[in-house]
Amino acid sequence: MSQITTDPLTLTPEDPAAESATDRARLGATRLLRTLLRNGKAVAGLSIIVVFIALALLAPVFFPGDPARITSAGAAAPSLEHWLGTTTKGQDVLGLTLWGARSSLFVGFAAGILSTVIGVLIGLSGAYFGRGLDEALSLVTNVFLLVPGLPLLVILAAFMPPGLGTVIVVLVITGWAGSARVMRSQAMSIRGKDYVAAAQVSGERPLRIMVREILPNMASVVMTTLLGCIIGSIGAQAGLEFLGLGDVNTLSWGTNLFWATSDGSLMLGQWWIFVPSGLAIALVAFALALCNYAVDEITNPRLRRPKHATKSTAATTVARKEEK
Amino acid sequence: MSVPVLEVQDLTVEYVSDERAVRGADRVSFTIHPGEIFGLAGESGCGKSTIANSIMRLLKDPARISNGKVLFDGTDVLGMDEAALRAWRWNNVAMVFQSAMNSLNPVTRIGEQFIDVIRTHRGGTRAAALHRAHELLKMVRIDPVRLRAYPHQLSGGQRQRIVIAMACALNPRLLILDEPTTALDVVVQQEILEQIRELQKELGFAILFITHDMSLMLELSDRIGIMYGGRIVELAPATTLRHGSRHPYTQALLGAFPPLHGPRVKLTGLAEGTKFTNIQDLEDTGEGHWVAPSDQPVLSQGELL
Amino acid sequence: MSFLFRRLGFYLLAFWASITLNFLLPRLMPGDPVTRMLSRSQQRLEPQQVDALRTMMGVDGGPLIPEYFSYLGRILTGDFGMSISRFPTPVSEVIASQLPWTLLLGITSLVIAVILGNLLGILAAWRRGGFLDSVAPPLLVFIGSFPYFWLAMGALYIFGINMGVAPMRHAFSVGLVPGFNLEFILDVAAHLFLPALTIVLVSLGGWMLGMRNTMIATNSEDYILMAEAKGLRPHRIMLNYAARNAMLPSVTSMGMSIGFIVGGALLTEVVFAYPGVGYQLLAAVQGLDYPLMQGMFLTITAAVLIANFLVDLVYVRLDPRVRKG
C-alpha cells in the first residue's frame, strides 16, 4: 500500500521510461538541427530567409521616412536613381518592396505559427483523449479542410473590420485544419508507444504526457507543418490583399500587387512595378519549401536521391573482383 | 551423382554506403540437387534472406554481389542480362516470400495475378491461363471461385497457399521458401508445410527452405546449412545435424527450440555475449558433414539435453 | 456502399455548416453591413429592397431562430438575394451565368495537372536519380512558389502584351456568337490556354512530388518484389503494381486540392478578366456586395463538395478494400 500512497511526483525523476523518452527526443532534435545544417537545401533555404528578414529589418535604414511618398515622376523605368523604377504614382519600387517585406513576413510567420499551434493543440488532444472528443474535433477539422479556402477568406475578411489583425485571424481560421490533421495522425501513432503507456501508469498528468512525452517526439513533423503553414499563409495573404481585402493602407507585397493592377501597370507593360513583390513572395516560399524538403529527406532517407541513376526494377549489380 | 540444380560458390554480398561496406553474406557455398530440400537456418540478420534474394538477383541498390558464382543447371545467373534474367525468373526458380499478407497486389483480383505471370512467360489466351489457375488452386485445395477475390478477402493461410500455387504455375525446378510460415499461426503453419511436402512429391522440384525455426527445419529438410554472421558455420544432412552437430552455434540454435515430437527437453541457448568472429572456411569431417573450426568450447550432446 | 453513404452524410453536414456560418457572420460582426454596403454603391434601392437586405443580414434585429430557418429555406431554394454591384440582378442569376466558365477553367486545369503531375511522379520515382528525378522537382517547386495570380500576370505580360500572341481578356472573342461550332470551340480553347497553363504550372509540382514520394514508398512493398521475382516486364510492374497502388493516396488528396485549385482559378480569372465567378469577385469586393460574396462562397463550396463526392466514386472503383464496410 505504501507504494501507492507515494506522491507520484517524487517517482517521476527516476522513471526510466519518461527519462529516456525526453532524452531521446532532445537528442533527436539536436541531431535533426545538426543534420539540417549539413544539408545543402536547408542551408540555401535558411540563407534566403535570413537575407529577407535582414532586409526587412533594415528597410528604415535604406529608405528612411515614408516609403509611400512620391519621389519622382510616375512610372519611371529602373535607373541608377531608382534601382527598380517607380510606380505609376511615383513611389520608389525598391523602397515599397523592402518595406512591404516587413508586414508580409510578419503576417506570414505570425499566421503560420498560430495555425500550427492551434493544429498541435487540437490534433494532440484529439489523439490523446480519443473517443467522443476525438470524433468531434476530427469532424470540425475535416469540415474546415473541405470548405474552399479562398471564398471563405473573402467572406470572413469582408465582414470583419479591416486591419492587420483581421488578416492574421482570417488566415489562421482557414489554415489551422491542415496542420491539425497531420498532428492528429502523428500523435496517434506515438500515443500507442510503450513509453506513453509507461508514463500513464506512473501517474503523470495528461498535459505533462502530451508536452513532455508526445510532442518532443514529433519535432520533425511539427517543423514541416510549420513551414507548410507559413508558405500557405504568405500565399493566402497575398491573394487576399491582391483582391483588395487586406488593409490597403499597410505596405505589403500583396498590396503592392493590388496597386500594380488597379493602376493598370500590367496593361501598360510596366513590368518593374509588379515583378519585384511577386518574386519576393516566390523566393521566400521557395526558401521555406527547400527547408521543408530537407527535413523530409533527413527523416525519410528513402526520399534522398541516389548518387547514380537507378531503375527501380534493376537486378542486383554484380561487381565481381576477378581473382587472378 | 546428378548435376546440381543450384550451385552457389563463394557468394559474397555487400551493402555499400558512403563510409563503409557491410557484408550481408560472406563466401557462402552450397549446392542443391534435383528434388532435394536444402535448408538454411540461422538467427535473423544472419544473411539467409540476403542469399535467397541474391540468387534471384532481387536485391536493390546499396546491395551488390561482389564475389562468387550462382550456377543454375550449369548456367551462370550472375552473367545474365535483364531480358534473360526475366525469362529465367519464375520459369525455373520461383519464390515464396515471408509476408503472405503483402506479397499479393492488393488492388487486383487473384485470377488476374495468375494470368499475369502465366501469359508473360507462356503466352496463350486469358482463358487458357485462367484454366491453369483453376487447376493450381484445386491443387492447393482452395475453391477456384476465389480467383475472383481480392487479397484482403482471404485469410493469411489462404493467401500463402495461393502464393505457393502461383509459384508452381510454371513448374519451376527450384522453389525458394523464405520463412514461408513465420507470419502464420502454428496450426496453419503445419498445414502449409504439409502442402509443400505434398506438392514437392507430386511435382518433384527442389526446395531452398529458409527459416530460423530449427524444429520446422529438421522436420522438412534433407540437408541443412547453419548460417551465422553472413557465413555458413556448419553444413550436414538433417539426420547427422540432429544428433551430431559440431559447431557450438548450431548446438545453441538446436537447444533454443523444442522438438515437435518426442520427450520434453530443457531449452538452452547461446550464452549472453557470446560472439563468433573471424569464422574459418568449412572443413570436411566426412559423410557430407562440413564444419567451420571454432575456438569456442564444444558442448557435448549430454550437456545440451 | 456504406462508405459512400458516410461520405455523403459528411458532405451534407459540411454544407450545412457553411450555410450556418454564412448566416451568423453578418450577425456576429460589429457594425451594420447594409449601411456600409449602401454607402459604397451607387445604386438607388427601393425601401422594400433595403428591408429585404436588412432581414437577410440580420440588421433588423429580428428573432434569430425563425430567421435562421427562413434563411435555410431561401438558400435551399437557390434564393441568395439581390446583387448590389450588378443591381438588380439576383445573385443566383449572376453566379449561374458565370459558374460554367469557372468550372471549365477549374476542371480543365485540375485534370491536366493531376494527370501530368502523376505521370511525371511515376517516371521520376521509377528512375531514381535520373534526369527527370533531378531536374523537375526543384524547378516545379520553384514555379509552384509563385502566387497563382502573379504567374498569371507574368504570362499575360509576356504572351499577351509583349508578344501579342495570346488573347488578353474574356473567354471568347468579341462579336463571336456562342454556339456549338468549331470556330467558337477553338476560340474558347485559345482564351482558355494561358489561364489554364498558369494554374497547371503552379500546381504541377505538388502532384508530381506527392506521387513520387508515394511511389518510392510503394516500391519497397513485398508485392513489387514478388512481381519482379515473377519475371514481369518492368513497365507492367510500374503501371499495374506500383502506380496502381500509389495512386490511391493521390486520389484522396485530390479532394482537398480541389479547394486550392478553385481558389487559384478565381484569382487567375481576375488577372485574365476571364468571365467566371472569380472575375465577379473583384467587383463584389470593391462594391462591398455582401450578398454576391456569400452566394459565391456557398456555390463554390457546393461545387467543391460535389467534386469531392465524384472523387470518392472514383476511389471506390480503384480500391477494392473500401467497397465493403
Side-chain angles (χ1 to χ4, degrees), chain A residues 41-178:
Chain A
K41 283 185 190 140
V43 172
L46 284 175
S47 320
I48 297 176
I49 294 166
V50 168
V51 167
F52 268 98
I53 291 177
L55 287 176
L57 292 176
L58 293 175
V61 180
F62 295 132
F63 292 91
D66 180 9
R69 73 180 186 277
I70 289 154
T71 49
S72 80
S79 63
L80 273 180
E81 196 183 346
H82 299 282
W83 290 0
L84 292 179
T86 60
T87 65
T88 323
K89 296 192 190 74
Q91 302 144 314
D92 186 89
V93 175
L94 184 60
L96 288 179
T97 311
L98 289 189
W99 278 87
R102 295 167 80 91
S103 97
S104 281
L105 290 179
F106 173 72
V107 171
F109 276 83
I113 290 169
L114 280 175
S115 304
T116 311
V117 169
I118 292 177
V120 167
L121 286 178
I122 291 192
L124 258 184
S125 42
Y128 186 83
F129 294 108
R131 283 195 289 265
L133 182 71
D134 184 35
E135 270 179 33
L137 290 178
S138 294
L139 194 68
V140 177
T141 309
N142 286 331
V143 167
F144 269 89
L145 270 176
L146 215 52
V147 173
L150 188 83
L152 180 60
L153 274 176
V154 167
I155 60 161
L156 286 174
F159 279 110
M160 285 164 85
L164 219 55
T166 294
V167 175
I168 295 178
V169 168
V170 164
L171 290 176
V172 172
I173 291 177
T174 52
W176 65 272

Side-chain angles (χ1 to χ4, degrees), chain B residues 53 56 58 60 86 89-90 93 95 97 99 102-109 112-113 116-117 120-121 150 152-153 163 166, chain C residues 219 221-234 236 240-242 244-245 248 317-324:
Chain B
N53 285 312
M56 289 193 84
L58 289 170
K60 292 287 170 278
R86 269 208 308 278
R89 283 175 179 169
W90 220 258
V93 184
M95 186 158 172
F97 294 89
S99 40
N102 304 325
S103 46
L104 292 168
N105 185 354
V107 295
T108 39
R109 293 177 201 275
E112 217 43 60
Q113 302 185 45
D116 219 9
V117 68
T120 302
H121 290 280
Y150 288 98
H152 73 277
Q153 296 166 325
V163 174
M166 217 176 267
Chain C
N219 277 341
E221 292 281 351
D222 286 323
Y223 51 80
I224 303 291
L225 199 64
M226 168 129 165
E228 279 177 53
K230 273 157 77 173
L232 302 182
R233 281 174 206 93
R236 191 163 180 88
N240 283 27
Y241 287 74
R244 186 67 176 66
N245 281 285
L248 298 176
R317 291 281 325 142
L318 289 177
D319 190 351
R321 283 163 291 190
V322 299
R323 270 176 227 169
K324 277 191 201 155

Side-chain angles (χ1 to χ4, degrees), chain B residues 70-89:
Chain B
V70 176
L71 299 176
F72 183 88
D73 260 343
T75 326
D76 181 13
V77 176
L78 303 186
M80 288 183 188
D81 63 13
E82 296 261 332
L85 195 63
R86 269 208 308 278
W88 173 77
R89 283 175 179 169

Side-chain angles (χ1 to χ4, degrees), chain A residues 8-9 11-12 15-19 21 124-131 187-188 190-210 212-214:
Chain A
L9 279 176
L11 277 176
T12 39
D15 181 10
E19 275 306 298
L124 258 184
S125 42
Y128 186 83
F129 294 108
R131 283 195 289 265
M188 286 289 262
I190 295 176
R191 170 97 175 77
K193 294 269 159 65
D194 285 343
Y195 57 80
V196 176
Q200 277 179 309
V201 170
S202 75
E204 287 193 38
R205 277 163 295 128
L207 188 69
R208 193 183 146 85
I209 297 179
M210 280 191 266
R212 292 287 303 271
E213 311 289 338
I214 300 181

Side-chain angles (χ1 to χ4, degrees), chain B residues 262-293:
Chain B
R264 285 159 57 132
V265 290
K266 192 170 179 289
L267 293 182
T268 52
L270 203 57
E272 207 168 310
T274 311
K275 268 196 181 141
F276 301 93
T277 47
N278 196 17
I279 297 158
Q280 306 289 308
D281 286 346
L282 294 176
E283 284 172 7
D284 192 356
T285 63
E287 290 167 14
H289 191 169
W290 298 69
V291 184

Side-chain angles (χ1 to χ4, degrees), chain C residues 175-213:
Chain C
L176 211 59
V177 184
F180 203 73
N181 53 55
L182 191 67
E183 190 196 1
F184 182 70
I185 291 171
L186 282 179
D187 191 61
V188 166
H191 282 77
L192 188 65
F193 182 74
L194 267 194
L197 180 73
T198 57
I199 297 173
V200 168
L201 277 180
V202 174
S203 51
L204 197 58
W207 290 111
M208 176 181 175
L209 279 165
M211 189 58 176
R212 168 183 172 270
N213 292 356

